Amino acid sequence: MTDSIADYLTRLRNAIKAKHRLVEIPSSNLKKEITRILHEKGYILNYKTEEVPGHQGIIKIALKYNGNTRHSVIKKLDRVSSPGLRRYVGADNLPRVLNGLGIAIVSTSKGVMTDKEARTQGVGGEVICYVY
């Protein structure tokens, strides 16, 4: 697999479409940071990382749905930067997703953060994905 972040987002999309409560994803440091941001911003209910001796490890994500309608809180996940075409932006050109209603996850020199956090810290970086 060449793009593990695209695989991560696709597994989330598929689990949401199938209305699963829990999804298991192979772990990496970048995926853990993206999951942490999704949890902090209220897009997922909870998550847990499990380390497997001698293996990669697993992130278990509990998806969040609205009430009895079972509509997911996450409406759309879009991969922006890919291994074939990296998308970098400066601090003054950070994207606004749905006029501030969504988030862009950005990998900066100060760590992985949302577009709003990067804007306040004055850093740019690689735009990983949009979530809304």
Side-chain angles (χ1 to χ4, degrees), residues 14-90:
N14 290 344
I16 290 168
K17 205 168 255 192
K19 301 212 185 296
H20 290 282
R21 285 277 181 207
L22 189 72
V23 61
E24 292 183 359
I25 298 170
S27 180
S28 75
N29 288 337
L30 182 58
K31 291 178 195 175
K32 288 177 190 175
E33 288 299 308
I34 294 171
T35 306
R36 178 189 56 81
I37 290 173
L38 290 176
H39 179 64
E40 284 176 0
K41 299 302 175 187
Y43 287 103
I44 60 174
L45 199 58
N46 207 349
Y47 70 98
K48 181 171 66 170
T49 58
E50 290 184 1
E51 300 302 321
V52 179
H55 291 287
Q56 190 172 9
I58 296 172
I59 303 173
K60 291 187 177 183
I61 300 174
L63 299 172
K64 189 174 185 180
Y65 295 95
N66 289 330
N68 295 334
T69 59
R70 300 256 322 176
H71 291 343
S72 174
V73 173
I74 299 173
K75 300 296 179 217
K76 199 163 186 180
L77 292 163
D78 286 336
R79 177 81 160 119
V80 178
S81 186
S82 65
L85 182 61
R86 301 286 186 189
R87 304 284 179 151
Y88 295 98
V89 294

Side-chain angles (χ1 to χ4, degrees), residues 109-126:
S109 58
K110 295 184 179 179
V112 180
M113 59 184 76
T114 65
D115 57 325
K116 295 168 191 160
E117 294 167 350
R119 206 173 283 115
T120 57
Q121 292 188 17
V123 294
E126 180 183 354

